[in-house]
Every structure is written in structure tokens, then in C-alpha cells.
Amino acid sequence: MLNVPRRNERDTVTDQTSQRTNRVADHPAERIFVDRWSPRGFSQDQIAEGELRTLFEAARWAPSAYNSQPWRFLYALRGETDFDTFLAPLIEFNRGWAQHAAALIYLLSKKEFTPPGKTGAQFSRTHSFDAGAAWANFANQAAIGGWAAHGMSGFDVDKARTLLGVPEGFDVEIVIALGRKGDGAHLAPALLQREQPSPRASVDEFAARGLFPKRFEAAR
């Protein structure tokens, strides 16, 4: 007989669900994938480091080439001295709203790995791709727990590398602003109007059976 372990209080962190949106799926999919989105209007809620580690735990189990696990996360919580350092590389547009996040997280990827059975390191062609898988796990786990994770490419990569002490063997991929969704009161009117889930391309726009179709060239 299968021995199923009893649930405990630590399991309840995954019982919370993200806020339901008005998005409509064209095909059956779990609501976590449909309803997750990236707001900019955060509340003043802080995040406990233990909760943040739950998101890193989800990222930990992402797939990667040769199980190389190239992702690395650097983080600072709002109110800490390092938070201003993490905020500094962002472009002015992103700094304006990201300063209200509960945490800022930089996702890095290690560019080399040592394949199984080898002794020397070699370039990993998929290091960025694999780090992206960890980011997806992180973002979805955040949404499950009622948090919003907004990934940003708008930052000075060289400045981030210098301020955070990132060596050349790593790429700085994205910055993640993490917080509870708020009423957006601190946002400029133009941004507040955009504070809603964005649409997505249809499946037919990015999936094709067989050879490369011409319609892919016209896709966004």
C-alpha cells in the first residue's frame, strides 16, 4: 500500500492561488499560467526571507542541459542598504516603480559547465535558456503565493556587473521586482492605465506542425 505523507503547515504555502483575471484560454491550461502577469503597482508589504526561499526552491527544480543548473540569484530586500545598490542600475523608468518592490533580484547565468565524465569546463550554449526556465518557475511560484514578479531587461548591465561584483564568467540576465500587487497609487497616470494583464499571441502564431511556416516571420 502506498504510504502518502501527511500534509503539514509548510505545505500550505502552495495552497494560495494567484488573483483570477479575465483572461480566456483557447485551450485547456492550468489557471496559474493564464492568470500570472507582471504588475508595476506594488503594496507596501514586505516579504519574509523564508517566503522568498520558497520561490528559490521552485527555481531550483527547473530543467537544464546536463543538469548544469547555471542560474544564480542575488537579492536585496526593501529597507536594506543593498536595496539602493540593486536599484541603481535600472533605467529611470523602471526605478520609478521598482523602488516600491519588496525585493529586487538579479538573475545571473554561469556561461561554462563541466559535462559529466569530463574534467574541463566548456561553454554552455543554453546557459541563458536554462536560467529562463528557473525564472519561469520562480515567477509562477510567486503567483501561487500571492506575490507578483516583474522581470526587467531595462537596466545598465555593465553597471550592475560592477556594483554587484559579478565576474566575467557570468551573464547578468534580468532584474526581478517582487511584491504584493497594490492599488498602483504611486504610478503615473499613463502607467496606471496599463496596470492590467496583457494579451498573448494565439497558439497558431507560434506553434506549427512540420517545417518553418512563412507566418512565423510576421509574428511579433
Side-chain angles (χ1 to χ4, degrees), residues 208 210-217:
L211 303 181
F212 190 93
K214 291 293 292 183
R215 70 175 187 273
F216 276 13
E217 296 180 19

Side-chain angles (χ1 to χ4, degrees), residues 2 19 21 27-28 45 54 64 81 83 89-90 93 120 192 201 203:
L2 181 64
Q19 185 176 0
T21 69
H27 308 277
D45 290 5
T54 292
S64 61
T81 302
F83 190 83
L90 301 186
F93 172 81
L192 188 57
V203 169

Side-chain angles (χ1 to χ4, degrees), residues 124-166:
S124 173
R125 187 178 63 82
T126 62
H127 65 92
S128 291
F129 179 85
D130 295 338
W135 149 241
N137 278 18
F138 180 99
N140 287 320
Q141 184 64 53
I144 289 171
W147 296 95
H150 190 127
M152 296 172 278
S153 62
F155 66 99
D156 186 322
V157 175
D158 291 335
K159 186 173 183 178
R161 181 181 297 279
T162 298
L163 290 179
L164 276 59
V166 180

Side-chain angles (χ1 to χ4, degrees), residues 24-29 34 200-204:
V24 178
D26 294 333
H27 308 277
V34 179
R200 290 293 190 272
S202 68
V203 169
D204 286 339

